Structures are given as structure tokens and as C-alpha cells.
Amino acid sequence: MTRQRMTAAVAIGVAVCAATSAMPAAALPFTEATASDAAAQDADTTTAARLQIEAGSEIIGSGATGFLASDTDGDVRWTRYADGSSTVLATERGQPKTTERYGALSDTVFTPAFNQGDGPGYVTATAYDMAAGTASAIDLRTLSRTHGYIGAVGDTIIASATTATGAQTAHLVRHDGTSLTDRPVAGLPGGALDIQVKGADAGAVLLSYRTGELEETRWHLALVDLASATVTRTFDAGPHAPSPDAALSGTHVAWFEATQPFGSTMVLNVAERGSSTPPRRETITGLWQPVLNLTGNWLTYASASELHYGDPQERLALTAVPVGGGVPRKLLEQVSTIVPSPDGSLLAMGGTLAGGQGLYRIAPGTDAAPAVTQVASTGVPTAVTVLGHTVPSTIDLDENRGAVPLSWRLSRLNVTFTATIRHTRTGLADVGHFSPGNGQNPHPERIDYTWDGTLSDNGKAVNAPNGAYTWTVEAKPTNGIGPTATVTGTFTVHRKPAPHDFTDNGSPDVLARDKAGRLWLEDTASSPDHLRRLNATRTRLVGGGWQIYNSIEATGNIAGGAAGDLVARDTAGVLWLYQGRGDGTFTTRVKIGGGWQGYRHIAAGSDLTGDGRPDLVATDTAGALWLHRATGNTAAPFADRKKIGLSGWQTFNSIQATGNIAGGAAGDLVARDTAGVLWLYQGRGDGTFTTRVKIGAGWQGYTHLTGIGDGNRDGRPDLFATSTDGTAYYYQGTGSAAAPFRKRESSSVFFGSTGSYNHIA
């Protein structure tokens, strides 16, 4: 909740004068309540819907007409129950904001000021009567130069003074708007040190103090009657300082005794105020910085924790248990601060799964057991909630090139977060695990994930196919508060069809026929390292019986489908079309036509005419080059042939359509002559080529050359070369006609020794 959404604060100006003990009361410009103060005390149900408290606030005090809280900016703010109006009384950063510091159980709020001069640290304060709308300035130095402010209950200030021997005495200081009355507390030992306020009710205050030094140190609690300024009972609290909060009601006193200076095991002590019976003691584990209080005959306690902290081993839930022992009840899922109210109820900052984070009143219900009612809401859910996401409905993996930014906004980040991206058709998935609460996160409420466009197939990374996807995120709270939040959504991945992509995942697939006539498909994926830039990911059998063909060529999408196709020529010279389904399989073959036995080499996959469809070229026995332009029609995938090279092509023993490797206007060809020299023929876009350019010599060592398309997703086609021992090498395209390929890289694709495979496309 933003500051702008809260009721405007009322500015208060008070003139503090050190020469007098108290200044006359001055009227404050408070907004008038719309209901009586008496009715406002029990207005929880009617005002919870309209009372707001800023997220991150902590409860400091509770009176009859309103409550005191501090926000994340350090503002100490009083909010009226009747109308929700608020007043900033002080802005303090880095100071302990306890109910004893500002005053407990009253509409009177004290804001002590630190003294830079002589005397104790806090000697001046401003007392605000929030019911009357007045303020008074108080200076304890008018009583004694050794008096120091340590807390307040109602309109009574608790002060300490240092004796000549260095010990401390406790004092009750009353103010009536014009003067101060000082009463020393009787019954404290002469060597008391470090006097602090630990708890209070309407008629008494509980002080802690220590005696002795070093190994002889003992801590004590003293119950002081406010009317008589007398210690009525003391308790031995052990060698370590008692818990920050102690509880005091009309019938009982309770505190936690530490078993070691820093630890989560403590001993709960509960004693009856009017009895000399020793306290009931119970060892409780899992407590860090415990909060403790009493309402009716029930004791409430928990480890104080903000919602975005904590550990499931800690006692984070606010628990209520009868003062005499019994079955505990959970009141809140988590609590950070808790204070007593004048009517015997408690106010706690925390949350429930149903009501979310906010301020809750805890008071005995109809069965005398504590009941919980929300007083004010922060608007923040207690259960981990996925508030939104930036997952697009359509993802173009050509455009993103393996870097898709995704993010989810959560109500809090102390979670273990799992994001699963699953391809609907294949079931292949990518799973990311995050622990954003561990360490710094640049976005406090956001989990960012850059998806690289791959999925896992039996532990191997494969490129994500086109099509429908579901995403599921699960956020499990690390502190155990609330259930795991699960949210799902959908998106669609698409790319342009790639020449050698039969699995519709944007990565090249290599076809290889073995000696038995079986055709295999090897799916590939690029690797981020610099050792193996093209890796085999999946090998699948297309089918048997392919020995009837003497030429098999990957053509790209020539028939208007969603994936790449291939053509195969049989020994009778008939050319057949196998249209890709996009899952690594092909439809039943369709006859393109006969007479193709007159061609020595067939190459397909480059768009030579600039119409966006890959075309096919073939060389005849006379050395001419022919163009077969793709139509996109399954029944007639090629237009009538056109001669584009008159002669000389018989000198080449390998011709490959590579796509646009030279940065020109259209697709290109590479051709290897009988001397092992590789030549580039750069397409003009009209079905013709520029003057050939020599790429280099030494290419005779390869049994097969294959223009596989874009293997590393850099937007440029690449070349695949297979040696006689079955090792496959990878040449990345540069986009330069002068040097169209980079230095070769090894790959993990392997086709066995010489003769294992007799055709690769």
C-alpha cells in the first residue's frame, strides 16, 4: 500500500521548553470521529474493511480510541478506530519501537528525544493525549540530572536514576499537564543495573534488572504496583537476559528464560500474581526473538518474524495455550509484533491465510478461548500468491534466438520456485529451479527466467518444437507458511520452417541411410561451449526400405506444410515427395514425376528465386544446371524446369544448396570439383548466380557435404561435412562472400566407420 493511499497525516508542532517541567496543553487539529470512542473500541468487524495499514508496519501501542504503529519510513503513526484517520507523531529510524518506549495501554503516547548534553540519553519527551488532541512537553532534568526515560504505562513515565555507587533506582513519574510528580520504586535491591520495562497492565509494570558482574550475573523480574510504587514480587530469571517481551495480566506473569545467550530453546515461566507458588516451567524449542502476551486465561507466544523471513523449524505461528497448560490453538500463521490493549485484548501484526496480512485483535471469545478479528489490512496476502507474469501468448524463437525473457511476480520471495515449460504434443519439458530468497535479487517481488528455447529429452537438451505449450510455476514457501502456490498458463511457439528441420524445432536434422537401407534422423542442437558447437541430441529411425533410392535430398518446405520435406529418386528415375509432419515422420509418398534419371546431382533447400520458398537444382550428364522452382503445392511441388547453367557443371562431384551463406539477396550453392576445391555460387534472387568464388582446397577428404541450415541459431546457414571415419565436422556460416565459412568445429554427431552409411542428406 502506498503512502498516497493512506489518510493524510496531521502535522503537529510542539514547542519544548527545558526551563519548565510541563507546558500547558495545546489543542491539536484532529479529525473528528464519526462514532463514539467507546463504540470504536469494538469496531473491529465494521472497520476492518476500511481501515488500512501500510505494508511493513509494526504495532507499537494500543489505546481505547486508536492504535500506534511504525511504518517502513520510520514514521510513528496513530490511527483512530472510528474513521481511520492517522497522525504522524514522530519519525525515527534505527530506534527500538516497543510499546514500553512509547507508552502502553493508553491513548497517551510519549515520543522521547535523545539528549546530546548532560544526563542520561533520554531526558525529554512529548506526551500526546490522542483522545483529547493535546500535547505536553516533558523534561525529566527538572527532577534530577540523573533521571532517564525508559518507558511509560498510561500517563506514568518509568524512569531510572543512577546512584553515586553506579547502581540504578527506578522511578514512577506522573504528569498532569502542568507539573511532574516523582515517586521512587521501593523494593528493588541496592545493586540493580540495566533496569528495563518488560510488560504492563492497567495497574502494574514488570521491570527487569540484573545483579552481579560477569560469571555472577543474575537477571530478575520485579512486579511493581503503580498505585503504591512498590515491588510486590520478584522472580529469578537466570544468568541470561530474559526474552524481550514478558507478559502481564491481572492474574498472571509470564516470561521466557533463555537457556543460553543465543539459541532457540527457552523455558516458559508462568506464575500467578497473587500466589507465592513457584512458576510453572516448560521447555519450548524453535523460538527466536519470541513475542509473548496474555489475554484472559490464555498465553500467546511465537517467534517474531516478518512474513518474508523465518524457517519452518521455528514456531512462527502465534499459538495460544491455557496458562495452566493444555491443548494449544493456532491463532495466526505468523506474527511480528504484539501489544496489550486497555480492555485486556491484544493487537498483533501478522496474518491468516483467509484474511491476509494486517492488524488483528485477539480477545476471549464466547467459549473464553482467544478469538481473532481483523482490525486493519495491508492488502498483502499471507499465502504465497503469484500476482502476475510476463509470459507472452506467442513466442517467436527465430526472433528471440534462444533468449526468451520470462518473469513472474510474487507476493513474497522466500520460496523454492519451480517453472516448468512443457510441449503439449511431445510432453518434453524444461524445468527451472530457483531459490530467490537466498541472496540478493535485483527485483524484490519478481523471479526472472531467460528460457533458452530448449527442452530436455532424457537428459539431453533439444530445441523446443513449434506448437502449443503449457507453463506451470510452483512457489513453495520456505518458512512453511501457507500452501504451495501453483499457476498455469499457455503459449505458442512458432518459427519459419527451416530447410533441414523435420522435427519442427528449429534445429537441423541430418538424414543418414545405412547399408541395410534404413533411414535414420539425427536431431542436433547447438552447444554454448567452444569445443562441440553442434551436438547430436536424438537418433530416431524413419523407416526401412530406402535402398530403392539413389538420391535422397532434404528440400525444406516445398509443399506448403508446417515443416521440412524431402524428395527421393528411385532407380527407375521417378522422384517422390515425402512431406514432413513436423514430428520426425513423413506422410505417405507422393509421385512427383518420372524422367529424373537424367540428373547426376540433385540439390535442394536454397531459395534461389526470392519468393520465400526453397527451390531445387539439378545437373544433367551434359553438365547443364537446371532450376526447379518450388510452388508450395503438394500435388505439383515444382514448376517446369529452367536451364540456368549451360555447361561445366559436370566437373563437380558434390553440389549443395546451402541457403544464404554469403549475405546476398538469395540462397546460394557450393560445389566441390574433382580436385577437392570448393566453390561458392552466390544467388542473385532471380534464379541465376554471380561469378563463382573459390572457397578453398582440400575438401576431397569428405565423403558427404550437407547444407544443413542454421545450426547455431545465429541467423546464418551452416555446412556439415562427414569424413571417411564417420566423424562429422561443422562449418559455421559467416555471411561473407570472401570467406563464407569459419574454421571447422568438431561435433558429437557420428555416422560410424566408412561404409556404415552410404548416403547423408
Side-chain angles (χ1 to χ4, degrees):
M1 173 166 176
T2 62
R3 294 285 301 279
Q4 288 76 14
R5 288 175 56 196
M6 299 186 71
T7 308
V10 181
I12 299 176
V14 179
V16 178
C17 179
T20 61
S21 60
M23 296 295 294
L28 292 169
F30 279 89
T31 303
E32 290 299 320
T34 57
S36 69
D37 291 337
Q41 294 182 57
D42 300 317
D44 298 352
T45 302
T46 58
T47 62
R50 57 188 174 87
L51 283 186
Q52 296 290 315
I53 186 168
E54 186 175 345
S57 297
E58 298 296 349
I59 185 68
I60 298 175
S62 174
T65 66
F67 61 86
L68 189 70
S70 65
D71 60 26
T72 55
D73 294 329
D75 291 341
V76 177
R77 183 186 298 269
W78 178 269
T79 300
R80 291 172 62 89
Y81 291 125
D83 57 10
S85 63
S86 65
T87 303
V88 175
L89 301 181
T91 299
E92 296 185 321
R93 294 178 175 86
Q95 298 297 333
K97 296 178 176 62
T98 62
T99 184
E100 294 81 12
R101 172 181 168 83
Y102 294 93
L105 304 164
S106 173
D107 286 338
T108 301
V109 177
F110 294 86
T111 57
F114 189 77
N115 173 44
Q116 298 290 348
D118 60 337
Y122 291 93
V123 293
T124 62
T126 302
Y128 297 97
D129 187 334
M130 304 309 296
T134 60
S136 302
I138 297 169
D139 190 342
L140 295 178
R141 290 173 296 186
T142 61
L143 299 173
S144 166
R145 290 290 175 180
T146 64
H147 275 57
Y149 178 99
I150 60 173
V153 179
D155 59 358
T156 300
I157 294 173
I158 315 300
S160 67
T162 304
T163 67
T165 63
Q168 289 181 320
T169 57
H171 297 256
L172 305 183
V173 178
R174 297 287 299 275
H175 75 97
D176 59 9
T178 58
S179 62
L180 298 177
T181 302
D182 178 24
R183 294 179 297 155
V185 174
L188 288 179
L193 299 169
D194 295 335
I195 298 174
Q196 300 175 32
V197 180
K198 287 292 184 179
D201 72 353
V205 62
L206 189 66
L207 301 180
S208 69
Y209 63 93
R210 68 177 175 89
T211 57
E213 298 287 352
L214 301 175
E215 293 84 357
E216 303 300 324
T217 297
R218 297 295 296 183
W219 287 87
H220 311 269
L221 293 172
L223 186 61
V224 179
D225 179 69
L226 293 178
S228 63
T230 302
V231 174
T232 60
R233 188 175 178 186
T234 60
F235 305 93
D236 184 355
H240 308 297
S243 58
D245 286 344
L248 183 61
S249 71
T251 58
H252 289 83
V253 179
W255 72 94
F256 279 111
E257 177 184 319
T259 58
Q260 53 185 339
F262 304 100
S264 62
T265 300
M266 296 191 176
V267 177
L268 174 63
N269 291 262
V270 182
E272 292 187 48
R273 283 180 59 168
S275 171
S276 60
T277 303
R280 178 179 68 83
R281 293 167 61 84
E282 178 184 355
T283 300
I284 299 177
T285 60
L287 284 172
W288 293 93
Q289 296 182 325
V291 290
L292 179 69
N293 234 299
L294 284 159
T295 180
N297 287 321
W298 288 73
L299 182 75
T300 65
Y301 64 87
S303 290
S305 177
E306 297 179 38
L307 183 61
H308 55 279
Y309 292 126
D311 184 276
Q313 303 303 315
E314 298 174 346
R315 295 179 179 266
L316 300 178
L318 183 63
T319 300
V321 64
V323 292
V327 179
R329 295 190 180 191
K330 183 167 73 172
L331 303 178
L332 299 175
E333 297 290 337
Q334 158 271 336
V335 64
S336 53
T337 46
I338 185 168
V339 299
S341 295
D343 61 359
S345 66
L346 307 174
L347 284 186
M349 280 298 300
T352 65
L353 296 181
Q357 293 291 287
L359 184 63
Y360 287 84
R361 187 179 298 280
I362 300 168
T366 55
D367 61 351
V372 176
T373 309
Q374 191 177 66
V375 177
S377 171
T378 65
V380 176
T382 297
V384 173
T385 306
V386 181
L387 303 174
H389 65 84
T390 63
V391 181
S393 60
T394 301
I395 295 175
D396 186 340
L397 286 180
D398 285 329
E399 178 182 341
N400 289 276
R401 299 199 184 282
V404 183
L406 309 174
S407 68
W408 291 268
R409 190 164 59 89
L410 273 62
S411 59
R412 53 187 168 104
L413 289 184
N414 56 333
V415 298
T416 54
F417 187 86
T418 303
T420 302
I421 297 171
R422 189 176 302 278
H423 185 230
T424 304
R425 176 175 58 81
T426 64
L428 298 178
D430 174 77
V431 182
H433 300 281
F434 307 86
S435 295
N438 299 334
Q440 296 296 317
N441 189 297
H443 304 292
E445 296 179 348
R446 203 173 82 196
I447 294 178
D448 295 323
Y449 178 42
T450 300
W451 182 42
D452 64 0
T454 67
L455 305 174
S456 177
D457 183 7
N458 293 320
K460 289 185 176 181
V462 297
N463 281 7
N466 292 328
Y469 282 75
T470 59
W471 58 262
T472 302
V473 294
E474 297 176 299
K476 181 179 180 180
T478 55
N479 60 6
I481 297 175
T484 297
T486 302
V487 176
T488 63
T490 62
F491 63 84
T492 302
V493 165
H494 73 85
R495 310 176 186 79
K496 295 178 182 178
H500 261 261
D501 181 15
F502 304 109
T503 52
D504 202 26
N505 63 0
S507 64
D509 303 312
V510 182
L511 296 171
R513 183 182 61 193
D514 64 22
K515 291 186 296 183
R518 294 174 299 183
L519 189 66
W520 299 87
L521 183 148
E522 185 72 69
D523 199 356
T524 67
S526 60
S527 172
D529 61 57
H530 295 283
L531 297 176
R532 305 172 85 76
R533 298 303 299 270
L534 193 69
N535 295 330
T537 59
R538 290 185 290 189
T539 302
R540 62 177 67 186
L541 178 65
V542 176
W546 290 79
Q547 68 272 16
I548 66 173
Y549 300 116
N550 55 28
S551 181
I552 302 170
E553 293 296 323
T555 61
N557 184 357
I558 62 172
D565 308 319
L566 66 84
V567 295
R569 182 184 63 185
D570 63 24
T571 55
V574 177
L575 192 67
W576 300 88
L577 168 66
Y578 287 84
Q579 193 171 359
R581 291 191 176 102
D583 60 358
T585 66
F586 300 90
T587 61
T588 303
R589 69 179 187 174
V590 175
K591 184 178 180 179
I592 295 175
W596 289 77
Q597 69 271 21
Y599 292 128
R600 294 182 64 220
H601 300 293
I602 297 174
S606 284
D607 177 14
L608 303 176
T609 57
D611 61 0
R613 289 189 292 269
D615 305 308
L616 181 147
V617 294
T619 62
D620 62 22
T621 55
L625 182 68
W626 298 86
L627 169 67
H628 292 260
R629 182 177 58 82
T631 64
N633 183 353
T634 305
F638 297 115
D640 292 341
R641 71 176 186 170
K642 176 182 179 182
K643 184 182 285 189
I644 59 174
L646 299 179
S647 63
W649 290 85
Q650 70 274 17
T651 63
F652 299 117
N653 56 27
S654 179
I655 297 174
Q656 293 297 318
T658 59
N660 187 346
I661 61 172
D668 307 320
L669 299 180
V670 295
R672 182 184 63 187
D673 63 25
T674 54
V677 176
L678 193 66
W679 300 87
L680 167 67
Y681 285 84
Q682 191 172 2
R684 291 192 176 100
D686 59 358
T688 65
F689 302 96
T690 62
T691 303
R692 70 178 186 175
V693 174
K694 183 178 180 180
I695 295 175
W699 292 77
Q700 68 273 17
Y702 296 122
T703 58
H704 298 88
L705 299 178
T706 309
I708 59 170
D710 185 6
N712 60 355
R713 292 187 289 179
D714 65 353
R716 293 185 291 269
D718 308 310
L719 187 72
F720 203 61
T722 309
S723 65
T724 56
D725 65 357
T727 302
Y729 294 94
Y730 176 51
Y731 288 86
Q732 298 181 48
T734 65
S736 168
F741 298 115
R742 291 189 174 93
K743 183 180 179 181
R744 76 178 186 180
E745 305 271 356
S746 62
S747 79
S748 67
V749 183
F750 180 68
F751 293 110
S753 60
T754 303
S756 296
Y757 293 87
N758 54 33
H759 192 86
I760 296 175

